[in-house]
Amino acid sequence: MSATISFCSIIAFIFYCSIQAFTQDTAQVVKDSFEVVLLDPESFQREIEENITAHKYQEAVSVLLTTIEYFKQENELDKVYYYRFVLSRIYMYLGMLQKAVNTLEYCHVYFKQENRDLDVVRSQHFLAYLYKKLGNTDMALYFLGLCETS
């Protein structure tokens, strides 16, 4: 009887181990195939351009968010904030003005910290435009004033 139990235990253990190995291999394949997709930043750029050209702004937002996350992982902050700037424009086209302002303010701070003068002025001008559309004339005039001094 104990020989039968130990034999069954061994078979069950082998079956359990083979299932564990199979699921780990499958997970690795899925993970590797996902990483292969993420390793092509040019395809992100191409897909973003196609979506914007075709006025598929919702699809562009999802691709932009994926692109931003990819470049965050790669620690390429210039590209992260470039795509955030593009994302804020898309939010404006979709009528999500407050979301556009929130996204753009991150860019503005980054550009100021990195002393990128042209990008600072562009972000200030765009912030002034967004605040004007939101009806906040004081903030719009504030950012236009910053453009004048820059």
Side-chain angles (χ1 to χ4, degrees):
M1 179 82 169
S2 70
T4 309
I5 292 175
S6 67
F7 180 73
C8 290
S9 299
I10 292 172
I11 296 297
F13 179 75
I14 292 171
F15 181 72
Y16 174 76
C17 290
S18 65
I19 289 175
Q20 289 295 350
F22 176 75
T23 56
Q24 287 176 354
D25 289 344
T26 306
Q28 186 65 33
V29 169
V30 171
K31 183 178 178 244
D32 289 345
S33 65
F34 181 69
E35 287 175 1
V36 168
V37 172
L38 287 180
L39 291 177
D40 188 19
E42 289 83 24
S43 69
F44 286 141
Q45 180 67 28
R46 197 171 32 257
E47 191 172 351
I48 291 167
E49 288 173 1
E50 289 171 2
N51 287 331
I52 291 173
T53 304
H55 302 285
K56 297 179 182 175
Y57 299 124
Q58 286 297 110
E59 290 86 353
V61 167
S62 64
V63 176
L64 279 164
L65 291 173
T66 305
T67 305
I68 290 167
E69 285 304 313
Y70 171 76
F71 285 119
K72 275 185 189 176
Q73 290 174 359
E74 295 294 316
N75 204 22
E76 294 185 38
L77 294 179
D78 284 344
K79 291 184 179 181
V80 167
Y81 288 98
Y82 167 78
Y83 285 112
R84 278 191 179 202
F85 192 88
V86 173
L87 181 63
S88 66
R89 287 210 176 260
I90 299 299
Y91 282 149
M92 181 196 65
Y93 295 144
L94 291 172
M96 301 179 201
L97 299 179
Q98 191 58 54
K99 210 166 190 178
V101 167
N102 295 343
T103 304
L104 189 57
E105 284 176 345
Y106 284 111
C107 298
H108 180 67
V109 169
Y110 174 76
F111 295 148
K112 280 184 88 161
Q113 289 173 345
E114 295 296 314
N115 295 322
R116 295 177 55 179
D117 295 333
L118 180 60
D119 292 326
V120 169
V121 172
R122 287 176 59 211
S123 63
Q124 290 169 344
H125 189 262
F126 190 31
L127 280 166
Y129 175 77
L130 289 172
Y131 277 120
K132 179 67 177 152
K133 287 193 66 106
L134 283 169
N136 191 341
T137 309
D138 292 337
M139 287 301 288
L141 290 174
Y142 170 76
F143 280 106
L144 279 177
L146 288 178
C147 288
E148 293 285 326
T149 60
S150 296

